[in-house]
Amino acid sequence: MSSAYMDNNATTRVDPRVLETILPYFSEYYGNPSSMHSFGGDVGKRLEEARASVQALLGVEHDSEIIFTSCGTESDNTAILSALAIQPSRREIITSVVEHPAILSLCDHLERHEGYKVHYIPVDRLGRISMEAYAAALSEQVAIVSMMYANNETGTIFPVETMARMAKEKGALFHTDAVQAVGKIVLNMQESAIDMLSLSGHKLHAPKGIGALYVRRGTRYRPMLRGGHQERGRRAGTENTTGIIALGLAADMALEHMEYENTVVRALRDRLEAGILAQVPYAFANGDPEHRLPNTSSISFEYIEGEAILMLLSRVGIAASSGSACTSGSLEPSHVLRAMDIPYTAAHGTIRFSLSRETTEAEVDWVIAQTPPIVEQLRRLSPYWGANGPILTDNAFAPVYA
Ligand code: PLP
């Protein structure tokens, strides 16, 4: 075994069928879909087919409800800014403490510079949202609720339908960042109270740089990008034709693999988690064991550093990700783990393994074999670890679940 890619929540490999399909749209049919000549080939038609595929994946009735964007971040920003623009008298936003920066950073900006009040709803030790705090924050002042469908670090799934219905009672719009959920969870927007939903192509085997925003028919909408008439004037800018065609095919394939994702991939994830936890003491899985994405496993290895684990995993060809904010250069554990009150000695040593339909049993077994000796090696170097186990016992605690 030379490598095992376990970082699919960060991004996925472009499916070879997707890649093959879009290549001619770079080299032969490269015309602008708005042009009259034949260099555009059938690209306009392909864009509408792609829209229909995204509709099918989300259970959306009308083609006008799907707007292609450049990424999940753009969809998230557009949804919130649109909701605020169309309801100027409502000056409050509700979101959760564990959202992606695509939401949190915008909310922070709106609070600091635009005078909005933002309610950040807390989560418990399993990453579950506090429905009491949510109910208390809801009022007729709230323009929009934005709650992620599933968390990118732990895979915890929020009860977004219930929350959307509650928002509706107060006349607030409900948006969900479903970037990690789309393609892994069956969605049916026709039977949903959700008003807006964001997705991103590169999380489901399409390329980076393509996303979509679902906007329920009848929902007032204010575009973020103004210019040409693309996307019915709701998102100006020449279409990312190859990205859109890729997303359409990726959506078809995600739908075909939905069952596989929820049976085979889930079983592989469970095998990985159980296999590691059976061999490593002072380690536990994070997230809601009852409501969790089928592909995600966040494991805290107490008393060691996640970055060191990642480095040693990388040396044996295993790609995973740490729960800590390593990319920002900060030594603080991630905001998600801190919000869940995971003790520092465990949050620092948290690794996210995220699988996909491409993950094989051999890869999983490779990770199960390689991880425990790496943890053992690092613990021997840890100042918190002695000859007989942890030295720092006052910070230790019972695993939340085995
Ligand atoms: N929301 C969530 C939950 C994510 O996991 C990500 C990407 O990691 C994003 C939004 C941002 O998506 P994009 O990279 O397409 O902007």
Side-chain angles (χ1 to χ4, degrees):
M1 179 63 54
S2 58
S3 70
Y5 184 73
M6 298 276 166
D7 202 11
N8 287 281
N9 284 10
T11 198
T12 55
R13 184 170 85 113
V14 175
D15 190 283
R17 252 181 67 197
V18 170
L19 181 61
E20 192 192 336
T21 303
I22 63 173
L23 283 177
Y25 291 90
F26 287 104
S27 54
E28 278 177 69
Y29 311 117
Y30 52 84
N32 191 314
S34 304
S35 303
M36 298 300 289
H37 52 66
S38 63
F39 283 77
D42 61 351
V43 72
K45 190 167 144 256
R46 293 303 297 263
L47 298 191
E48 290 322 303
E49 283 169 9
R51 200 182 306 278
S53 297
V54 174
Q55 273 175 259
L57 182 60
L58 305 182
V60 166
E61 195 176 359
H62 303 284
D63 57 358
S64 62
E65 295 176 293
I66 302 293
I67 302 169
F68 289 118
T69 64
S70 68
C71 58
T73 302
E74 184 190 325
S75 300
D76 284 348
N77 274 247
T78 306
I80 291 184
L81 293 175
S82 169
L84 298 178
I86 61 166
Q87 306 167 95
S89 63
R90 293 181 176 236
R91 301 284 300 170
E92 296 186 15
I93 300 165
I94 300 180
T95 189
S96 84
V97 283
V98 295
E99 298 295 309
H100 189 273
I103 296 291
L104 288 181
S105 170
L106 175 64
C107 286
D108 182 59
H109 170 84
L110 291 168
E111 197 168 30
R112 280 172 202 265
H113 303 292
E114 308 286 343
Y116 287 95
K117 177 170 175 51
V118 183
H119 302 265
Y120 296 94
I121 307 301
V123 298
D124 68 8
R125 185 55 195 281
L126 298 181
R128 295 175 302 197
I129 194 90
S130 164
M131 291 302 274
E132 295 74 37
Y134 175 56
L138 269 175
S139 76
E140 256 116 56
Q141 304 309 310
V142 175
I144 181 151
V145 177
S146 182
M147 288 284 166
M148 67 201 322
Y149 210 113
N151 187 268
N152 44 307
E153 289 190 30
T154 65
T156 298
I157 297 168
F158 279 169
V160 285
E161 282 303 338
T162 307
M163 298 176 104
R165 282 195 296 274
M166 288 166 71
K168 200 134 277 184
E169 281 167 22
K170 300 287 181 191
L173 287 171
F174 191 92
H175 164 255
T176 184
D177 173 345
V179 164
Q180 294 292 346
V182 170
K184 297 170 193 152
I185 293 176
V186 177
L187 297 170
N188 188 351
M189 288 303 109
Q190 281 181 62
E191 288 171 11
S192 169
I194 294 166
D195 298 300
M196 291 185 277
L197 175 149
S198 301
L199 67 89
S200 175
H202 74 100
K203 311 289 185 182
L204 52 142
H205 305 280
K208 294 152 190 67
I210 182 67
L213 176 64
Y214 158 77
V215 182
R216 176 175 301 284
R217 199 146 83 142
T219 308
R220 281 162 60 224
Y221 175 84
R222 191 73 61 81
M224 190 165 75
L225 293 186
R226 293 171 188 279
H229 284 289
Q230 296 90 355
E231 298 298 283
R232 300 170 193 243
R234 293 180 305 168
R235 199 280 185 182
T238 300
E239 297 88 341
N240 174 1
T241 52
T242 48
I244 294 171
I245 295 167
L247 179 58
L249 184 53
D252 290 344
M253 294 176 85
L255 207 48
E256 278 164 30
H257 288 91
M258 192 68 76
E259 171 93 20
Y260 184 90
E261 186 84 30
N262 284 281
T263 52
V264 180
V265 177
R266 182 185 296 276
L268 285 173
R269 187 276 311 272
D270 291 346
R271 179 189 178 97
L272 173 79
E273 199 166 274
I276 291 175
L277 293 179
Q279 296 180 71
V280 182
Y282 299 98
F284 56 90
N286 294 303
D288 181 352
E290 310 259 299
H291 303 102
R292 201 157 54 125
L293 290 175
N295 78 318
T296 308
S297 176
S298 163
I299 302 183
S300 293
F301 299 98
E302 291 185 78
Y303 310 114
I304 52 177
E305 276 293 333
E307 278 69 30
I309 306 173
L310 285 186
M311 253 173 55
L312 297 187
L313 284 174
S314 173
R315 277 198 204 159
V316 292
I318 297 168
S321 120
S322 92
S324 61
C326 50
T327 44
S328 68
S330 154
L331 287 177
E332 285 289 291
S334 83
H335 70 286
V336 175
L337 299 171
R338 273 184 290 146
M340 289 163 63
D341 230 1
I342 305 291
Y344 267 53
T345 47
H348 272 296
T350 300
I351 299 294
R352 177 188 70 187
F353 299 99
S354 45
L355 287 62
S356 81
R357 61 176 186 249
E358 297 188 330
T359 307
T360 64
E361 196 171 306
E363 286 176 314
V364 165
D365 289 346
W366 176 247
V367 180
I368 293 173
Q370 293 298 318
T371 308
I374 287 174
V375 172
E376 216 182 297
Q377 181 188 343
L378 291 171
R379 279 186 177 157
R380 281 200 297 272
L381 302 172
S382 166
Y384 305 123
W385 196 263
N388 302 312
I391 296 167
L392 224 184
T393 47
D394 59 336
N395 219 352
F397 56 93
V400 282
Y401 67 99

